[in-house]
Amino acid sequence: MGFPRTRCAAVLATSVAVLLAVTACSSPSTEGATPSASGPPASSAPSSSPSAEVAVDFGTAPAGDGTPDCSALLPTAAVDAVVPGARAVALADVPHVAAADWAPVVAGGSSCTSTTGVAPLDGTVLGTIDDPRYEGVRVTVLPDATAEYQDLAASGLTGVLDGGPSCSASDAAVVYCVSDVLVGDAWVQVLAQRVQDDPDTTEAALDAPFRALVEQVGDAVRTSPVTTARVDEHVDGSLPPCVADNVDAVTDTTLRWALEGTDVAPTTVEHALDRLAGASCGFVAPVESDPRYDQQQAQYDRLPNGGWAVEQRLAAGTIDRDGRIDLDGLDDRDGAWRTCDDTACTLDVVSDGGTWEHFVLMRAVAPDTAEAVERWATASRG
C-alpha cells in the first residue's frame, strides 16, 4: 500500500495527528486539534432515545472489546507533565468536531484526548496574540495495523519511526511532540501540542516527559487484547482527493484543499478512514500576506457506521435537536441537523443505515452560513 498525496485527504482541523502533519507542511492555520473520546459507552444501546423521537437509523455502536479506556491511555500525571492542566475531553461534548475523529473507534481501536479547555476550533482561526490557544495530548490505537505501520516506515514521508518519540517547535511558537510505535499488531500514535508561552517551554524540555508518557501508553496497550485483535476486512478505500467546488459555490472566498500539492505522512485516523471507505477534507482560505497562515474555513467528513456518534451528540445537546431540517434526498429513516454558533454552522447527516456526513462552515467566508451550509450539503450529496 503506497501513499500518493491524494491519500492525505486532510483530517485537518480535526485531529492532532493530521494537524501535526499539516504543520510540517508549514500551515500554522491548522494548529488546533480535535478532542476525541475512547469510544462508545460500554453498552451499544442508545445513550438516550433520540432514535425513537426522530425515527432515524443511527446504526450500531462498535463493541470496542479489548480496547484500553482513556483513563489508562492518558494517565493524568503523565499528561500534566507534558501539557499542564490538560484533562480528558469527551468527543460527544465538543462543538463542530470532525466525524473523522471517531474513525479509529469505528475501526475497533481507541481515540482519546486531554486538553486545557480551549476549543479546538480556536486553533484554526487566527485571532489576536493574546487569544488562548489549543493545547492538548492525543492517543490513538489502531488494531491489526502492522502492514500500514511498515508501509509508513518505508514511505520516506516521516523519520519519526526510526528516531522514536520526538518534539519540535514551529515558527508559530508551538511545540509539537509525536510518537508512532507498534505494540503487538496495534499501531499506537501519541501526539502533543504545547504553546511556548514561557522560556521553559522548549522542545528539549518536553522531550523527557513526553517519552515518559509514551512509555506509559505503551504499557497500557501492551496488556490489552487490542495488540492481537484482527480486523475482519481491510477495505482499501483509497481516500479521494478533496475538491472545493461545492463549498466554493456557497462562500464569498475561494477555498482550496488544505493539503493540495503536499506529501505528508498518513496518520492512524486516515488509515482508519481508509479501512472504512470514509473521507475527510479540510478547506482553507488564503492569507495573502503569508500563505503559511492560510486559515481553515470548512471541513467535510464521511464516516460509514458512524451514525451512532450523532445519536450520542444529540443526547449530549452538542447537536441542536431542534435544528433538524428536511434535506433533499433523505429517506424516512435518515436525518439531518444544523447547529450554529457565532463561529460556524455544522450540518450532521445520518443516512443509509448509519453513515455520518459532517459539514462545517465558518461564518467568516459565508455570512448567511445557515443557508449556505445546507446548500453545500445538498450539492455534495446530489
Side-chain angles (χ1 to χ4, degrees):
M1 184 187 302
F3 299 111
R5 63 189 56 175
T6 55
R7 291 177 55 90
C8 297
V11 186
L12 201 63
T14 65
S15 62
V16 179
V18 174
L19 293 173
L20 291 171
V22 173
T23 299
C25 299
S26 297
S27 181
S29 65
T30 55
E31 286 159 9
T34 304
S36 300
S38 59
S43 169
S44 60
S47 50
S48 179
S49 55
S51 57
E53 297 176 24
V54 298
V56 171
D57 184 359
F58 290 100
T60 303
D65 296 336
T67 58
D69 62 29
C70 289
S71 62
L73 292 174
L74 291 172
T76 302
V79 168
D80 195 65
V82 178
V83 180
R87 297 294 180 265
V89 179
L91 183 60
D93 297 329
V94 181
H96 309 299
V97 72
D101 279 345
W102 297 81
V105 180
V106 177
S110 299
S111 184
C112 303
T113 293
S114 289
T115 76
T116 57
V118 176
L121 200 61
D122 292 344
T124 70
V125 180
L126 285 175
T128 70
I129 194 170
D130 296 324
D131 283 349
R133 301 286 294 280
Y134 174 86
E135 297 182 286
V137 175
R138 175 170 179 169
V139 176
T140 53
V141 181
L142 187 64
D144 197 8
T146 299
E148 290 95 330
Y149 182 91
Q150 291 175 342
D151 273 350
L152 177 61
S155 69
L157 293 178
T158 178
V160 171
L161 296 174
D162 295 330
S166 64
C167 297
S168 60
S170 76
D171 58 1
V174 176
V175 176
Y176 301 97
C177 298
V178 56
S179 172
D180 289 279
V181 64
L182 199 63
V183 181
D185 289 314
W187 179 355
V188 182
Q189 190 169 69
V190 185
L191 305 113
Q193 178 173 321
R194 173 102 175 261
V195 175
Q196 292 182 285
D197 52 5
D198 65 65
D200 295 329
T201 305
T202 65
E203 50 196 284
L206 290 183
D207 183 76
F210 183 68
R211 287 176 180 270
L213 171 62
V214 168
E215 184 175 351
Q216 291 190 43
V217 171
D219 288 343
V221 174
R222 196 169 291 109
T223 57
S224 72
V226 74
T227 59
T228 56
R230 288 289 175 267
V231 176
D232 291 338
E233 182 179 5
H234 283 259
V235 176
D236 184 359
S238 297
L239 296 180
C242 299
V243 180
D245 292 356
N246 288 332
V247 67
D248 271 347
V250 303
T251 64
D252 56 12
T253 300
T254 300
L255 305 181
R256 65 172 179 81
W257 175 32
L259 295 185
E260 185 174 358
T262 65
D263 281 324
V264 296
T267 68
T268 50
V269 170
E270 287 185 296
H271 280 298
L273 282 170
D274 199 21
R275 288 184 183 184
L276 302 167
S280 186
C281 302
F283 300 103
V284 298
V287 175
E288 293 183 4
S289 60
D290 192 336
R292 295 174 303 169
Y293 289 84
D294 290 352
Q295 293 179 263
Q296 175 139 348
Q297 299 291 359
Q299 177 77 28
Y300 167 76
D301 295 301
R302 183 183 71 252
L303 182 60
N305 305 320
W308 54 272
V310 174
E311 185 176 33
Q312 287 190 18
R313 292 171 63 75
L314 281 163
T318 316
I319 293 175
D320 181 7
R321 189 186 301 277
D322 294 332
R324 191 176 185 191
I325 62 174
D326 293 324
L327 193 67
D328 289 347
L330 295 185
D331 293 331
D332 291 342
R333 295 282 286 166
D334 303 336
W337 296 265
R338 179 172 48 205
T339 306
C340 297
D341 59 23
D342 292 341
T343 303
C345 283
T346 292
L347 188 59
D348 294 282
V349 184
V350 178
S351 60
D352 300 325
T355 293
W356 177 14
E357 286 184 283
H358 184 75
F359 301 81
V360 182
L361 185 61
M362 301 290 195
R363 290 191 181 276
V365 294
D368 190 1
T369 323
E371 186 269 342
V373 75
E374 182 175 348
R375 286 196 289 125
W376 174 25
T378 300
S380 298
R381 302 184 76 258

